[in-house]
Amino acid sequence: STNFLVLKMAKSSFEYVKKFEHDDSLLPNTWIVIRLDGKCFHKFADDHNFTKPNDLRALKLMNYAAYTVLKEYSDILLSFGQSDEYSFVLRKDSCLYKRRSAKLLTTINSKFSSSYVFYWNKFFEHLPLKYPPCFDGRIVLYPCDENLIDYMKWRQADVHINNLYNTTFWTLILKGQLTPVQAEKRLSGTVSADKNEILFQEFNMNYNNEPEIFKRGTILLRKSLLHNKVNKSIIVDVHDDMLKDKFWKENIYILSVKK
Amino acid sequence: STNFLVLKMAKSSFEYVKKFEHDDSLLPNTWIVIRLDGKCFHKFADDHNFTKPNDLRALKLMNYAAYTVLKEYSDILLSFGQSDEYSFVLRKDSCLYKRRSAKLLTTINSKFSSSYVFYWNKFFEHLPLKYPPCFDGRIVLYPCDENLIDYMKWRQADVHINNLYNTTFWTLILKGQLTPVQAEKRLSGTVSADKNEILFQEFNMNYNNEPEIFKRGTILLRKSLLHNKVNKSIIVDVHDDMLKDKFWKENIYILSVKK
Amino acid sequence: STNFLVLKMAKSSFEYVKKFEHDDSLLPNTWIVIRLDGKCFHKFADDHNFTKPNDLRALKLMNYAAYTVLKEYSDILLSFGQSDEYSFVLRKDSCLYKRRSAKLLTTINSKFSSSYVFYWNKFFEHLPLKYPPCFDGRIVLYPCDENLIDYMKWRQADVHINNLYNTTFWTLILKGQLTPVQAEKRLSGTVSADKNEILFQEFNMNYNNEPEIFKRGTILLRKSLLHNKVNKSIIVDVHDDMLKDKFWKENIYILSVKK
Amino acid sequence: STNFLVLKMAKSSFEYVKKFEHDDSLLPNTWIVIRLDGKCFHKFADDHNFTKPNDLRALKLMNYAAYTVLKEYSDILLSFGQSDEYSFVLRKDSCLYKRRSAKLLTTINSKFSSSYVFYWNKFFEHLPLKYPPCFDGRIVLYPCDENLIDYMKWRQADVHINNLYNTTFWTLILKGQLTPVQAEKRLSGTVSADKNEILFQEFNMNYNNEPEIFKRGTILLRKSLLHNKVNKSIIVDVHDDMLKDKFWKENIYILSVKK
């Protein structure tokens, strides 16, 4: 039988191992961005027959998982998702978990991951989830608003460019009957104008009419709403153009919100 | 309509923000331990009517989620779980994700979290999961075997001590009709021998006969199995006493496995 | 005799140890402050009979060592010294040594330390330096101008407060014939007005007439000078009041200087 | 005149800037190696007419500066110097300055730098030091003895190889009347045997007879000495071959010394 007195003494003799943990608190007064990325999501999309080039159910599930995270953490001011990635922006002055890097990163990543599975059926209905998906995460600091805004613009410029490519690529395959190898060859060396032209001339598609969610990804924002004479904060999803100054002029309040 | 030429130029002008990411690769030749912890699991356990003091279904689900992680990452040599926490030990010489700390931490945490939801029904059957759970994670380095072994002993000593307390506490409530406040009062100031005595005298329970999984938690190990004359590596769950040298003598090969 | 072929092979087999160095580059676009502090300078001051409460020679030597550092590193925009400490502010966008923390810290610390010894005689003339002094150093990041300015104000407020105490303390000893213990007792519980009063009433000293270098420390700044119709950048030492907005209004150009 | 009450309140309002300092304590139970390197020492050597390829005075000054550091910090067990670099090995279990990285690095670097200037005349006599030299520093962790020993071997293999090259190069110039460009050309593509041969055939020099300090650098060790029946710890300089196991067998006690 266990000798508990010995055990307690033993336990305290092992506790020195706690000292090997290092303090990873992040620099104060700095924007904290956490970006999650689907791991092997090409395969995951194939395994679950995602519509190409964009699966609206999958995008909405991503948005909903992110929404779940925002509801939980009021220190997240802004969030942006596209494809299988999502970025979360924490307020500059956030003291959440004393700004400990690993703690922030893992709780947000974990909540997002488990929400993705939990809400799968809400968007995919009877299509079963075949295995648990995985998202990696990273944390990046931006000292000033300009750097943060450029980060957001960078991620949105990325969707724009990838989506035009993917839309043309998959149209060549799905409507043009090309193989993936042929489609890739056809697009090699083309500029954006060429891709627009292919879509328009050969498939009668105007890329500009594609849904905003595909072309621009999704921004989750907190808005104040006057409801029955009471101010209420709600989370809205928009597909605005963050590359335009107009967006930041209208929404700069997001970054300057005081606690 | 979007001017893609301008867009590509813009995108490249934003890419400087990538330089704000910092290199977080971990010291080579050092044991990497990743520990996950359920967030607000007291509430989570209440919300899902977990059996007190231990819910076998919940423990088995934890083990299964950990097993899913081990199957995916062969660099994890050893794992230990108890209550709502799980520790994963990566080989000293692991080069997984170039030893990047955030990447290792988040992929393992995410896989575990999404598996927990995914396999919920396998263990809880018709009891619905009410909301997505959340696990935080941390990463700790141990330079030598002795430190690592002391870490494992520390976590197991922790179960032992907590479980005796919890078992007595809940027996006083469930069988002894005390309120939680009364049970706490009753146990205040008692040593382990007192608790053993309460269980035995008042409830005719021999603590030593409690299930090993409750008293010691679960160790997941890789074992080599000779199957049809072929060596196969399998993952087994055991509830051995890691506080005894015997365990480490028999299993030290785990730590010295070469790629 | 040495077999060099074997030696070269051996050497390359040891080179893996280089991989244990970690990348310590500092967050871009952030103010870098390096502060040096004399180690055991109470003893050092006693051993070299420094005048109490301030030794002008010692302060000027500190300033000169700092000036030597500024001459060498044009990325240092501003510097502030008091007593046995000196702070150096590197431009936000500095890429000096790729912003590697240890490299920046050690070169500046080393240059300062060796300059202190090298120029000792310039200020102490025939008083010999008895042993090599030692300065420790730390590196701190400030994301915005306001934080940096508050840092500078903090260090200057520190001189102000310490110097009033030290001046009164040493006047009580040197002119008032108190022992250090008596002087400490006398000052215990006094506020600043009391100390001003002691100096004025008992020793006919007006604290406000004390030299600025004692009360405010020394700021090293780069100024542009028109010399023979050519713009020349020079380093000047001033003793301005950084706690006043006036200083920052006049000198804010320092922080906004472009390369 | 200064309002000190306002000043004290102001000071406390600035003190938040202290929170921007980050905890940089090093992983426990791990070898700490600090390596210092002369900055622009090619130029420094030329400016002070250092004898080529090795200046014994300069090497002895390096050794003496290192000795000064070892005398000060008993946690340094071992030290190795060659050319313009010096490595210091701190005991695995050192708690010096709570293992804070910047503090350890800067105090050792500063003491070394100021000692180099302070003791210059002891070795260079009437040759004046023209300007304050500068050393950079880095800190590297090694988790096990083998890694640490390989580090020491790596640095010594480096001397060996460089010194054979430099000795041949400078002999071709100083005794063979070649220009540096001609000497470089002559040595290009040669292996070590060729260089030995050049020295022997053309200049009647046996490289093996060169002084050990040139070929192997200098190791500073602590030894126990029985003096008048009392054990005394002294620091000795040796030029042993660390690439041979013999050295480590005889000196392994250094690494296992207990406090």
Side-chain angles (χ1 to χ4, degrees):
Chain A
S1 90
T2 312
N3 184 329
F4 276 87
L5 189 59
V6 169
L7 190 60
K8 282 201 179 171
M9 285 165 60
K11 193 188 168 197
S12 72
S13 79
F14 305 140
E15 272 166 0
Y16 78 92
V17 299
K18 276 199 280 191
K19 291 191 188 144
F20 289 68
E21 298 187 19
H22 78 290
D23 176 359
D24 64 350
S25 6
L26 299 168
L27 187 67
N29 196 23
T30 310
W31 293 107
I32 301 172
V33 172
I34 288 175
R35 182 167 80 247
L36 311 183
D37 252 290
K39 208 187 140 248
C40 303
F41 255 56
H42 270 288
K43 186 178 178 313
F44 184 82
D46 286 346
D47 290 342
H48 294 88
N49 295 315
F50 280 12
T51 307
K52 302 292 185 177
N54 293 290
D55 188 303
L56 196 56
R57 300 163 302 177
L59 293 177
K60 285 187 169 171
L61 173 53
M62 290 288 291
N63 291 346
Y64 203 79
Y67 168 75
T68 311
V69 172
L70 262 84
K71 266 200 311 184
E72 184 97 2
Y73 296 102
S74 61
D75 275 13
I76 303 175
L77 299 181
L78 181 66
S79 187
F80 176 68
Q82 56 132 318
S83 181
D84 61 345
E85 75 166 51
Y86 235 100
S87 298
F88 299 89
V89 180
L90 276 86
R91 50 190 316 131
K92 238 166 143 162
D93 61 355
S94 176
C95 290
L96 186 59
Y97 304 135
K98 294 181 188 165
R99 296 178 79 85
R100 282 181 293 145
S101 176
K103 184 92 175 178
L104 289 167
L105 187 54
T106 52
T107 45
I108 286 176
N109 181 274
S110 174
K111 190 74 185 177
F112 186 92
S113 303
S114 68
S115 299
Y116 191 94
V117 179
F118 187 77
Y119 293 114
W120 173 271
N121 289 130
K122 191 178 170 79
F123 299 93
F124 283 94
E125 298 187 348
H126 301 301
L127 184 78
L129 177 61
K130 293 188 175 163
Y131 51 83
C134 181
F135 296 87
D136 69 29
R138 75 193 67 202
I139 207 158
V140 196
L141 296 178
Y142 292 109
C144 72
D145 295 2
E146 190 195 347
N147 298 149
L148 174 69
I149 291 171
D150 283 348
Y151 172 84
M152 299 301 279
K153 289 179 173 178
W154 175 51
R155 296 324 299 146
Q156 196 174 47
D158 192 68
V159 204
H160 268 289
I161 291 165
N162 289 341
N163 192 58
L164 174 60
Y165 182 93
N166 291 338
T167 302
T168 321
F169 178 81
W170 283 102
T171 304
L172 286 169
I173 291 168
L174 297 173
K175 299 191 181 159
Q177 322 297 348
L178 296 198
T179 65
V181 172
Q182 289 169 326
E184 206 186 327
K185 214 169 177 177
R186 177 76 198 278
L187 291 177
S188 136
T190 59
V191 296
S192 304
D194 302 328
K195 297 189 193 77
N196 270 305
E197 198 66 9
I198 289 172
L199 289 174
F200 192 69
Q201 296 292 349
E202 303 183 21
F203 303 100
N204 199 26
M205 278 176 69
N206 186 338
Y207 179 74
N208 291 320
N209 297 339
E210 288 291 290
E212 303 294 20
I213 188 176
F214 295 170
K215 288 183 300 182
R216 289 183 183 159
T218 299
I219 307 160
L220 297 184
L221 289 178
R222 297 183 191 276
K223 295 240 173 196
S224 236
L225 195 79
L226 197 67
H227 182 68
N228 291 337
K229 296 186 182 170
V230 177
N231 257 317
K232 231 187 111 179
S233 169
I234 54 160
I235 298 163
V236 296
D237 56 320
V238 298
H239 312 287
D240 294 352
D241 189 346
M242 295 193 291
L243 292 154
K244 296 234 168 72
D245 285 343
K246 187 171 170 286
F247 175 83
W248 295 104
K249 274 181 197 150
E250 283 172 18
N251 293 289
I252 197 67
Y253 74 90
I254 306 168
L255 305 185
S256 54
V257 168
K258 294 287 167 205
K259 265 195 177 155
Chain B
S1 88
T2 312
N3 183 329
F4 276 88
L5 188 59
V6 169
L7 190 59
K8 283 201 177 171
M9 285 166 59
K11 193 188 167 196
S12 72
S13 79
F14 304 139
E15 273 167 359
Y16 78 91
V17 298
K18 276 198 281 189
K19 291 191 189 145
F20 288 67
E21 297 187 19
H22 79 288
D23 177 357
D24 64 350
S25 4
L26 299 167
L27 188 67
N29 196 24
T30 309
W31 293 108
I32 300 171
V33 173
I34 288 174
R35 181 165 83 247
L36 310 183
D37 252 289
K39 209 188 140 246
C40 305
F41 255 56
H42 270 287
K43 185 178 181 311
F44 184 83
D46 286 346
D47 290 341
H48 294 88
N49 295 313
F50 281 12
T51 308
K52 301 293 186 182
N54 293 289
D55 188 304
L56 196 57
R57 299 163 303 174
L59 292 176
K60 284 189 170 172
L61 174 54
M62 290 290 289
N63 291 347
Y64 203 80
Y67 167 75
T68 310
V69 172
L70 263 84
K71 265 200 313 183
E72 183 97 1
Y73 297 102
S74 60
D75 275 13
I76 301 173
L77 299 180
L78 183 65
S79 188
F80 176 68
Q82 56 132 320
S83 179
D84 62 345
E85 75 166 52
Y86 236 100
S87 298
F88 299 90
V89 180
L90 275 86
R91 49 191 316 133
K92 237 168 147 161
D93 61 354
S94 176
C95 291
L96 187 58
Y97 303 134
K98 293 182 188 165
R99 298 178 78 85
R100 282 182 292 145
S101 176
K103 183 95 176 176
L104 289 167
L105 187 53
T106 52
T107 46
I108 286 175
N109 180 276
S110 174
K111 190 76 187 176
F112 185 91
S113 303
S114 68
S115 299
Y116 191 93
V117 179
F118 188 78
Y119 293 114
W120 174 270
N121 289 128
K122 191 178 169 81
F123 298 93
F124 283 93
E125 298 186 346
H126 301 301
L127 184 77
L129 177 61
K130 293 187 176 164
Y131 51 82
C134 181
F135 296 87
D136 70 27
R138 73 193 67 200
I139 206 158
V140 196
L141 295 180
Y142 291 108
C144 73
D145 294 1
E146 192 195 345
N147 298 149
L148 174 69
I149 290 170
D150 284 348
Y151 172 84
M152 299 300 281
K153 289 179 174 177
W154 175 50
R155 297 323 301 145
Q156 198 174 45
D158 191 68
V159 206
H160 269 290
I161 291 164
N162 289 342
N163 192 57
L164 175 60
Y165 183 92
N166 291 338
T167 302
T168 321
F169 179 80
W170 283 103
T171 303
L172 286 168
I173 291 167
L174 298 174
K175 301 191 183 159
Q177 324 298 348
L178 296 197
T179 64
V181 172
Q182 290 170 326
E184 207 187 325
K185 213 169 177 179
R186 176 77 199 277
L187 291 177
S188 137
T190 59
V191 296
S192 304
D194 302 329
K195 298 188 192 79
N196 271 305
E197 199 63 10
I198 290 172
L199 289 174
F200 192 70
Q201 296 293 350
E202 304 184 20
F203 303 99
N204 199 27
M205 275 175 71
N206 186 340
Y207 180 73
N208 292 319
N209 297 339
E210 287 292 291
E212 303 294 19
I213 188 174
F214 295 168
K215 289 184 301 183
R216 290 183 183 159
T218 300
I219 307 160
L220 297 184
L221 289 177
R222 296 182 191 280
K223 294 241 172 197
S224 237
L225 194 79
L226 198 65
H227 183 68
N228 290 339
K229 295 186 180 169
V230 178
N231 256 317
K232 234 186 110 179
S233 169
I234 55 160
I235 297 162
V236 297
D237 56 320
V238 299
H239 312 287
D240 294 352
D241 189 347
M242 295 193 290
L243 292 155
K244 296 235 168 71
D245 286 343
K246 187 171 170 286
F247 175 83
W248 295 104
K249 273 180 197 150
E250 282 171 19
N251 293 289
I252 195 67
Y253 73 91
I254 305 167
L255 305 185
S256 54
V257 168
K258 294 287 168 204
K259 266 197 175 151
Chain C
S1 91
T2 312
N3 184 329
F4 276 87
L5 188 59
V6 168
L7 189 60
K8 283 200 177 172
M9 284 166 59
K11 194 189 166 195
S12 71
S13 79
F14 304 140
E15 273 167 358
Y16 77 91
V17 299
K18 276 197 282 188
K19 292 189 188 145
F20 288 67
E21 297 186 20
H22 78 289
D23 177 357
D24 64 350
S25 5
L26 299 168
L27 188 67
N29 197 25
T30 309
W31 293 107
I32 301 171
V33 172
I34 289 174
R35 181 166 81 248
L36 310 183
D37 252 291
K39 209 186 139 247
C40 305
F41 255 55
H42 269 289
K43 184 177 181 313
F44 185 83
D46 286 345
D47 290 342
H48 294 88
N49 295 315
F50 280 12
T51 307
K52 302 294 184 179
N54 295 288
D55 188 304
L56 195 57
R57 300 162 303 174
L59 293 176
K60 285 188 170 172
L61 173 54
M62 288 292 287
N63 291 346
Y64 203 79
Y67 167 74
T68 311
V69 172
L70 262 84
K71 265 200 314 183
E72 183 98 2
Y73 296 102
S74 60
D75 275 13
I76 303 174
L77 299 181
L78 183 65
S79 188
F80 176 68
Q82 57 134 318
S83 179
D84 62 345
E85 75 168 52
Y86 236 100
S87 298
F88 299 90
V89 180
L90 276 84
R91 49 190 315 133
K92 237 169 146 161
D93 62 353
S94 176
C95 290
L96 186 59
Y97 304 135
K98 296 181 186 166
R99 297 178 78 86
R100 282 182 292 145
S101 176
K103 183 93 176 179
L104 289 167
L105 187 53
T106 52
T107 46
I108 286 174
N109 180 275
S110 174
K111 190 75 187 178
F112 186 92
S113 303
S114 69
S115 298
Y116 192 95
V117 180
F118 188 78
Y119 293 113
W120 173 269
N121 290 127
K122 191 178 169 81
F123 299 93
F124 283 93
E125 298 186 345
H126 302 300
L127 184 77
L129 177 62
K130 291 186 177 164
Y131 51 83
C134 182
F135 297 86
D136 70 28
R138 76 193 66 201
I139 206 158
V140 195
L141 295 180
Y142 292 108
C144 72
D145 294 2
E146 191 195 345
N147 298 150
L148 174 69
I149 290 172
D150 283 350
Y151 171 83
M152 298 300 281
K153 288 179 173 177
W154 175 50
R155 297 323 302 146
Q156 197 174 47
D158 192 67
V159 204
H160 269 289
I161 292 164
N162 289 342
N163 192 58
L164 175 60
Y165 182 93
N166 291 338
T167 302
T168 321
F169 178 81
W170 283 103
T171 304
L172 286 168
I173 292 168
L174 298 173
K175 301 190 182 162
Q177 324 297 349
L178 296 197
T179 66
V181 172
Q182 290 170 326
E184 207 187 325
K185 214 170 176 177
R186 175 77 199 277
L187 291 178
S188 138
T190 59
V191 297
S192 304
D194 301 330
K195 297 189 192 78
N196 271 305
E197 199 64 10
I198 291 172
L199 289 174
F200 192 70
Q201 297 292 349
E202 302 185 22
F203 303 100
N204 198 27
M205 275 176 70
N206 186 339
Y207 180 73
N208 292 319
N209 297 339
E210 286 293 288
E212 303 294 18
I213 187 174
F214 295 169
K215 289 184 300 183
R216 291 183 182 159
T218 300
I219 307 159
L220 298 184
L221 289 177
R222 296 182 191 278
K223 295 239 173 196
S224 238
L225 194 79
L226 198 65
H227 183 68
N228 291 337
K229 296 187 181 168
V230 177
N231 255 317
K232 233 186 111 179
S233 170
I234 55 160
I235 298 162
V236 297
D237 57 320
V238 298
H239 312 287
D240 295 352
D241 189 346
M242 295 193 290
L243 292 155
K244 295 234 169 71
D245 286 343
K246 187 172 169 285
F247 176 83
W248 295 105
K249 273 179 197 151
E250 284 171 18
N251 293 289
I252 195 67
Y253 74 90
I254 305 167
L255 305 184
S256 53
V257 167
K258 296 288 167 202
K259 262 192 177 155
Chain D
S1 92
T2 311
N3 183 329
F4 276 87
L5 189 59
V6 169
L7 189 61
K8 280 201 180 171
M9 284 166 59
K11 194 189 167 196
S12 73
S13 79
F14 305 140
E15 272 166 1
Y16 78 91
V17 299
K18 275 198 282 190
K19 291 189 188 146
F20 289 68
E21 298 188 18
H22 78 290
D23 176 359
D24 65 349
S25 9
L26 298 168
L27 188 68
N29 196 24
T30 309
W31 293 106
I32 300 171
V33 172
I34 288 174
R35 182 166 81 247
L36 311 182
D37 252 290
K39 207 185 142 250
C40 304
F41 255 55
H42 269 289
K43 185 177 179 313
F44 185 82
D46 285 347
D47 289 342
H48 294 88
N49 295 315
F50 279 12
T51 307
K52 302 294 186 177
N54 294 289
D55 188 305
L56 196 57
R57 300 163 303 175
L59 292 176
K60 285 188 171 172
L61 172 55
M62 289 291 290
N63 291 346
Y64 202 79
Y67 167 76
T68 310
V69 171
L70 263 84
K71 265 200 314 184
E72 183 99 1
Y73 297 102
S74 61
D75 275 12
I76 303 174
L77 299 181
L78 182 66
S79 188
F80 176 67
Q82 56 133 321
S83 180
D84 61 346
E85 75 166 54
Y86 235 100
S87 298
F88 299 90
V89 180
L90 274 85
R91 49 190 316 133
K92 239 168 143 160
D93 61 355
S94 175
C95 290
L96 186 59
Y97 303 134
K98 295 181 187 166
R99 296 178 80 85
R100 282 182 292 145
S101 176
K103 184 92 175 179
L104 289 168
L105 187 53
T106 52
T107 45
I108 286 175
N109 180 276
S110 174
K111 190 74 185 178
F112 186 92
S113 302
S114 68
S115 299
Y116 191 94
V117 179
F118 187 78
Y119 294 114
W120 174 270
N121 290 129
K122 190 178 170 80
F123 298 93
F124 282 93
E125 298 187 347
H126 302 300
L127 184 76
L129 178 60
K130 293 187 175 164
Y131 52 83
C134 182
F135 296 86
D136 71 28
R138 74 193 68 200
I139 205 158
V140 196
L141 296 179
Y142 291 108
C144 74
D145 294 2
E146 192 196 346
N147 298 149
L148 174 69
I149 291 171
D150 283 349
Y151 172 84
M152 300 300 279
K153 288 179 173 178
W154 174 52
R155 297 322 301 147
Q156 197 174 47
D158 191 69
V159 204
H160 268 289
I161 291 165
N162 289 341
N163 192 58
L164 175 60
Y165 182 93
N166 291 338
T167 304
T168 321
F169 178 82
W170 283 103
T171 304
L172 286 169
I173 292 167
L174 298 172
K175 299 191 182 160
Q177 324 297 347
L178 296 198
T179 65
V181 173
Q182 288 170 328
E184 206 187 326
K185 212 168 178 179
R186 176 76 198 279
L187 290 177
S188 138
T190 59
V191 296
S192 304
D194 302 329
K195 298 189 193 75
N196 270 305
E197 198 65 10
I198 290 171
L199 289 173
F200 192 69
Q201 295 294 347
E202 303 183 21
F203 303 100
N204 200 26
M205 277 175 70
N206 187 339
Y207 179 74
N208 291 319
N209 296 340
E210 287 292 291
E212 301 295 20
I213 188 175
F214 294 170
K215 288 184 301 181
R216 289 184 183 159
T218 299
I219 307 160
L220 297 183
L221 289 177
R222 296 183 191 278
K223 295 241 172 195
S224 237
L225 193 79
L226 197 67
H227 183 69
N228 291 337
K229 294 187 181 171
V230 177
N231 256 318
K232 233 186 112 178
S233 169
I234 53 158
I235 297 162
V236 297
D237 57 319
V238 299
H239 312 286
D240 294 352
D241 189 347
M242 295 193 290
L243 293 154
K244 296 235 169 70
D245 285 344
K246 187 171 171 284
F247 175 83
W248 295 104
K249 273 181 197 149
E250 283 172 19
N251 292 291
I252 197 66
Y253 74 90
I254 306 168
L255 305 185
S256 55
V257 168
K258 296 286 166 206
K259 264 193 176 154

